[in-house]
Amino acid sequence: MMNGEKITGAEIVLKALQDQGVEVIFGYPGGAVLPIYDEIFRQENRIKHVLVRHEQGAAHAAEGYARSTGKPGVVLVTSGPGATNAVTGITDALMDSIPMVVLTGQVPTKLIGSDAFQEADTVGITRSCTKHNWLVKDVNDLARVLHEAFYVATKGRPGPVVVDIPKDVQFALGNYVGPGNVAHRSYKPRVKGDLERIRQAVDLIATARKPIFYTGGGVINSGPAASQLLREFARLTGFPVTSTLMGLGAFPADDPQWLGMLGMHGTWEANHAMHDCDVMICIGARFDDRVTGRLDAFSPHSKKIHIDIDPSSINKNVRADVAVIGDVAHVLEDMLRVWKSKAARPDKEALAAWWEQIRTWRGRDCLAYKNSEELIKPQYAIERLYALTKDLDTYITTEVGQHQMWAAQFYRFQSPNRWMTSGGLGTMGYGLPAALGVQMAHPGSLVIDIAGEASVLMTMQELSTAVQYDLPIKIFILNNEYMGMVRQWQELLHGGRYSHSYTASLPDFVKLAEAYGAVGLRASKPAELDDAIREMIGVKRPVLFDCRIDKTENCFPMIPSGEAHNNMILADLGAQTVSAAGKTLV
Amino acid sequence: MSYDPVIQQAEIIRTHTIAVLVDNEAGVLARVIGLFSARGYNIESLTVAEVDAREHTSRITIVTSGTAQVIEQIKAQLDRLVPVHRVVDLTTETEPLEREMALIKVKGGGEKRVEALRIAEAFRARVVDTTLNSFVFELTGSPSKINTYIELMRPLGLIDVSRTGIAAISRGPEAL
Ligand SMILES: Cc1ncc(C[n+]2csc(CCOP(=O)(O)OP(=O)(O)O)c2C)c(N)n1
Ligand SMILES: [Mg+2]
């Protein structure tokens, strides 16, 4: 393009995406984005476009793409219902800090506010579920705003942004500016941590007698270097490591220092160690209520170090004794340097005693379950899935419910970016479209959605997308015919009154797969499981795997809402009563 | 749980005046107000006006209340909004200068009318509109002064009040 030559808004969109290095867009057309779709057609697919079956699917696919690559996911949808359908996925990305750029069509500027056909106040609706959003009314602002959108989505704590583009702006002629010429006026997040605070943190760590690393999704978001630095720091100190649901994979599950996940369905040893520790090093996690349990009983005797890129995470739920604001990798790098230069050595004897204590907690074998010859136990199914896929190049997504927690407990993640799950929002229907996004980014890899039969029906239509684009995702359904997690709560909290948590009239998933042009498989007995999983892996097409599991199994350990970490329910303790206060919580 | 004086102290609710410098762009006020309603924070007063036409920046002055922890959260949450340049808590050890303007309409005659005028003089309220049976007073001052004035006008025929909300600035030579 010649300097100063004017191009259409639609061309500006495509050019900006290209200059931002976008390889794939997940989208769905409609009246208000037709000029952009026309441009995609004319550019002969220089940027790949994946046509989803529902805009929520586009947003989750973009999340899967982003989470598995570290790059922002891009979504293109039309005005009105296109935008509102995407809202669940956008909110999901906000809660889990996923970088995502959503382009929405809007009615022509002259019609805005007139209740025009397919008009929705998209910037109004998405204001509280985006990191930021823009309505572009002048084509000459378009390129700048688009570059700004990528900047905001990816810098600092990542998140989703929406750019709403009226149809007339897509047609209008305007000037293009490249990404290099955009400097942000007000948004300049801090990545380097304050050195004085880092020194304080190191001093505190050096005095620890019962330390623990509590790590979260921030380690993953910071990039692979952060995981490496975490591993190095853990090795140098010899401290135990636990992680939130979002942080799984940052530290290898096979490492002897790994305690397993913490929180509501975390391990006995991780939660007890959190409760009893004297120095807690929180890295890129946010003291979510699923992690802390009862706040006033949360780790009552520890000093807390909190490393986070978002200043608003500090002291939000739990007071930090030393807070370091910055990007995890940058902060850990400095911390390691200070640690080494001080030649800090934690108290060996105290640490040995702490590990001895941890060994007794581990001895409780909290994830133990009673296996069966007759029924496939869900835990067994995940264990077998792990055993048969661990040496392959595997990515796991999940839906939401018991199966998600069993996946987190029993699938042993060794590296970052391999695990995509809806943590903050807990969105049923996330896993299948997220798997599409992962598979688009990693065409040769094995991508498995560990699913529940209820969740997967929420976005089942995306199987059609998988078939269209030859995305050989594997949807491994732990089919208990129940909304198992709901049923579990009803059992524990509502006297076993199973109000609407059983799904009658489930489809025949094997036939359903075939109807979509995918492959359907089923296993009902433990003895059939391994062969069926091998067959699933071997098929180079999308697979819907109906794994019939024990319908009554519950997920333990469990900290009931409103309870302290050392008040866990274990499988072999049987049902316990839950306090009235706990009942009112979610 | 053991008695923790730090936690006890944190539970004290204080009123803070916070100045927020923002880009004067569409929707910025909605973002700020949306943040307060979504997270359940109080707004006691909120004012906004452009303060730099060349830079297109506006200043929002928010009076809010909460525990020390809540105030800290409010500031951090405001700071994280993309068009926000700066967030400054004006309520530090020293109270900031705070002014509000009010237009106050009083209707009536006779002794009450005379009394209203007399009080206006004592408060240095200006009469900006007069009819035979009404006054509009303009009064600038601290919010509490305006509250007192309004209470005094109530029995004298107060029928309408319009207040601007608080504008605030720190004392001393420092800028925002
Ligand atoms: C969109 C949405 N609606 C409702 C819920 C509440 N919910 C949480 S888990 C769950 C049941 C999930 O059932 P299923 O997918 O079969 O998984 P299971 O727990 O049986 O493994 C429900 C309804 C949710 N998380 N998301
Ligand atoms: Mg189920």
Side-chain angles (χ1 to χ4, degrees):
Chain A
M1 187 188 67
M2 297 267 295
N3 217 0
E5 191 184 318
K6 288 189 189 300
I7 56 177
T8 68
E11 284 175 287
I12 289 174
V13 169
L14 270 278
K15 193 157 172 49
L17 293 181
Q18 224 154 20
D19 284 353
Q20 288 292 339
V22 174
E23 291 163 346
V24 55
I25 312 174
F26 301 92
Y28 207 91
V33 280
L34 283 180
I36 297 174
Y37 270 87
D38 201 28
E39 202 50 41
I40 291 173
F41 185 88
R42 284 205 282 173
Q43 304 223 348
E44 284 167 2
N45 300 324
R46 234 179 297 164
I47 293 178
K48 276 178 254 167
H49 177 276
V50 175
L51 176 67
V52 294
R53 300 301 187 260
H54 184 293
E55 290 86 349
Q56 182 187 351
H60 292 323
E63 287 187 272
Y65 177 90
R67 193 96 189 144
S68 67
T69 60
K71 293 191 268 186
V74 179
V75 173
L76 173 61
V77 297
T78 193
S79 67
T84 56
N85 271 353
V87 163
T88 298
I90 298 171
T91 311
D92 194 273
L94 183 75
M95 292 290 271
D96 285 344
S97 309
I98 312 287
M100 182 157 101
V101 176
V102 182
L103 310 179
T104 54
Q106 182 54 275
V107 301
T109 40
K110 280 211 182 65
L111 292 183
I112 289 178
S114 71
D115 298 321
F117 177 64
Q118 295 196 326
E119 179 182 3
D121 175 12
T122 301
V123 287
I125 289 169
T126 61
R127 195 172 286 130
S128 59
C129 66
T130 52
K131 191 171 165 188
H132 195 59
N133 61 14
W134 296 260
L135 168 64
V136 183
K137 287 182 168 169
D138 180 344
V139 67
N140 289 309
D141 291 334
L142 186 55
R144 176 184 57 78
V145 168
L146 287 167
H147 297 311
E148 212 176 302
F150 277 87
Y151 172 88
V152 170
T154 54
K155 293 289 176 292
R157 180 175 177 175
V161 298
V162 165
V163 183
D164 200 24
I165 314 172
K167 193 170 183 179
D168 55 325
V169 174
Q170 299 170 34
F171 277 125
L173 291 170
N175 289 313
Y176 181 77
V177 289
N181 310 335
V182 178
H184 206 276
R185 273 163 58 88
S186 53
Y187 187 66
K188 293 162 187 142
R190 163 177 200 149
V191 290
K192 289 282 277 181
D194 180 86
L195 256 186
E196 189 41 44
R197 297 284 188 88
I198 289 174
R199 284 198 196 98
Q200 284 171 21
V202 167
D203 288 344
L204 188 54
I205 294 169
T207 65
R209 300 172 64 81
K210 297 191 284 179
I212 189 165
F213 283 111
Y214 150 42
T215 66
V219 184
I220 312 275
N221 273 335
S222 177
S227 293
Q228 282 312 316
L229 290 160
L230 169 67
R231 288 161 194 222
E232 190 184 343
F233 205 12
R235 207 166 38 242
L236 272 179
T237 55
F239 293 176
V241 183
T242 181
S243 157
T244 65
L245 181 72
M246 298 310 292
L248 295 178
F251 194 77
D254 277 351
D255 193 291
Q257 283 168 252
W258 173 243
L259 300 189
M261 180 174 76
L262 83 166
M264 184 173 273
H265 292 288
T267 66
W268 184 260
E269 50 270 33
N271 284 331
H272 273 283
M274 285 289 281
H275 190 266
D276 284 8
C277 67
D278 70 342
V279 174
M280 179 185 294
I281 309 147
C282 169
I283 310 177
R286 59 184 178 91
F287 297 94
D288 171 87
D289 56 72
R290 281 292 178 276
V291 158
T292 61
R294 204 174 100 201
L295 262 183
D296 64 2
F298 174 69
S299 193
H301 310 298
S302 61
K303 295 261 189 228
K304 296 168 187 80
I305 297 164
H306 191 178
I307 303 169
D308 203 299
I309 197 155
D310 179 357
S312 77
S313 288
I314 309 283
N315 296 337
K316 182 169 66 180
N317 301 329
V318 170
R319 200 148 257 296
D321 296 281
V322 181
V324 186
I325 293 162
D327 169 61
V328 168
H330 284 85
V331 173
L332 281 185
E333 197 179 359
D334 285 341
M335 219 172 227
L336 269 164
R337 187 159 353 95
V338 175
W339 180 267
K340 287 175 185 162
S341 74
K342 291 200 171 186
R345 294 270 174 284
D347 184 331
K348 264 217 168 104
E349 257 170 60
L351 199 57
W354 179 229
W355 272 111
E356 196 43 49
Q357 172 65 64
I358 289 171
R359 248 185 294 281
T360 61
W361 286 324
R362 270 183 177 157
R364 193 68 185 70
D365 198 10
C366 68
L367 294 177
Y369 62 95
K370 222 167 143 247
N371 213 348
S372 153
E373 301 268 298
E374 293 305 310
L375 296 171
I376 300 178
K377 291 284 180 177
Q379 301 94 325
Y380 177 72
I382 307 278
E383 279 184 330
R384 294 317 302 156
L385 186 69
Y386 174 63
L388 296 169
T389 59
K390 66 175 177 180
D391 296 325
L392 304 171
D393 174 19
T394 309
Y395 291 82
I396 302 288
T397 72
T398 75
E399 308 293 337
V400 170
Q402 290 179 319
H403 62 276
Q404 176 190 31
M405 293 299 123
W406 282 315
Q409 293 172 335
F410 288 90
Y411 201 98
R412 305 181 64 79
F413 294 93
Q414 311 297 342
S415 42
N417 303 98
R418 297 277 169 168
W419 162 247
M420 344 293 133
T421 195
S422 170
L425 196 63
T427 310
M428 292 170 70
Y430 167 89
L432 199 173
L436 295 179
V438 177
Q439 191 82 75
M440 274 307 288
H442 309 276
S445 306
L446 176 63
V447 183
I448 305 172
D449 170 27
I450 297 178
E453 79 297 330
S455 294
V456 80
L457 283 176
M458 287 207 174
T459 49
M460 178 53 83
Q461 73 285 347
E462 301 306 335
L463 189 53
S464 175
T465 312
V467 171
Q468 178 178 343
Y469 294 91
D470 281 328
L471 299 170
I473 58 168
K474 317 299 180 204
I475 302 149
F476 189 75
I477 305 172
L478 293 183
N479 184 353
N480 53 7
E481 296 177 17
Y482 274 101
M483 296 170 198
M485 193 56 94
V486 173
R487 193 215 54 221
Q488 176 166 348
W489 280 54
Q490 289 172 334
E491 191 173 312
L492 296 174
L493 290 120
H494 296 276
R497 293 178 295 279
Y498 299 126
S499 182
H500 299 277
S501 54
Y502 182 75
T503 313
S505 312
L506 279 170
D508 177 330
F509 285 108
V510 172
K511 283 193 186 149
L512 186 61
E514 284 159 8
Y516 274 110
V519 176
L521 295 173
R522 178 170 293 129
S524 310
K525 294 261 173 289
E528 306 166 357
L529 188 58
D530 276 23
D531 281 347
I533 291 175
R534 281 199 198 91
E535 189 178 348
M536 173 183 89
I537 297 167
V539 177
K540 298 301 172 219
R541 287 165 59 201
V543 175
L544 204 51
F545 190 119
D546 184 18
C547 185
R548 299 302 192 92
I549 58 163
D550 185 345
K551 296 177 197 177
T552 59
E553 193 68 20
N554 282 336
C555 183
F556 294 111
M558 177 176 179
I559 307 176
S561 289
E563 284 297 338
H565 270 168
N566 53 356
N567 248 340
M568 263 168 285
I569 306 179
L570 288 176
D572 53 8
L573 292 179
Q576 260 162 271
T577 49
V578 173
S579 70
K583 245 186 188 174
T584 64
L585 299 170
V586 288
Chain B
M1 274 280 290
S2 59
Y3 174 74
D4 183 345
V6 180
I7 291 180
Q8 294 293 317
Q9 204 176 19
E11 294 309 311
I12 296 171
I13 292 178
R14 280 194 67 190
T15 299
H16 282 244
T17 304
I18 297 169
V20 191
L21 203 64
V22 300
D23 270 337
N24 185 14
E25 62 176 38
V28 64
L29 192 58
R31 276 178 222 287
V32 170
I33 292 170
L35 171 81
F36 274 71
S37 69
R39 295 188 184 264
Y41 306 140
N42 280 324
I43 299 182
E44 287 169 17
S45 164
L46 187 146
T47 59
V48 58
E50 189 167 77
V51 289
D52 190 329
R54 261 185 313 147
E55 289 285 309
H56 293 292
T57 47
S58 294
R59 180 164 167 147
I60 302 177
T61 306
I62 305 168
V63 181
T64 183
S65 61
T67 62
Q69 190 181 5
V70 167
I71 297 292
E72 195 188 341
Q73 258 298 300
I74 290 175
K75 288 187 277 182
Q77 293 292 351
L78 284 168
D79 213 13
R80 164 178 201 261
L81 296 178
V82 168
V84 167
H85 287 263
R86 203 125 29 99
V87 179
V88 177
D89 190 351
L90 296 172
T91 307
T92 51
E93 303 88 64
T94 57
E95 293 290 322
L97 281 168
E98 291 182 351
R99 290 293 180 270
E100 190 179 3
M101 199 266 275
L103 295 170
I104 296 151
K105 190 176 285 187
V106 177
K107 185 178 168 188
E111 198 39 47
K112 285 185 175 175
R113 189 171 158 85
V114 177
E115 182 63 10
L117 262 187
R118 205 168 24 233
I119 293 172
E121 225 162 275
F123 274 75
R124 301 201 189 162
R126 293 203 305 141
V127 175
V128 289
D129 180 71
T130 315
T131 67
L132 286 178
N133 62 349
S134 73
F135 287 122
V136 174
F137 298 108
E138 176 198 314
L139 178 62
T140 303
S142 69
S144 67
K145 175 179 169 182
I146 291 172
N147 287 344
T148 311
Y149 187 77
I150 288 169
E151 283 318 305
L152 288 169
M153 288 299 123
R154 210 175 285 286
L156 302 178
L158 179 88
I159 55 167
D160 208 0
V161 177
S162 171
R163 302 173 68 152
T164 58
I166 290 166
I169 204 159
S170 64
R171 294 174 191 270
E174 264 83 60
L176 191 62

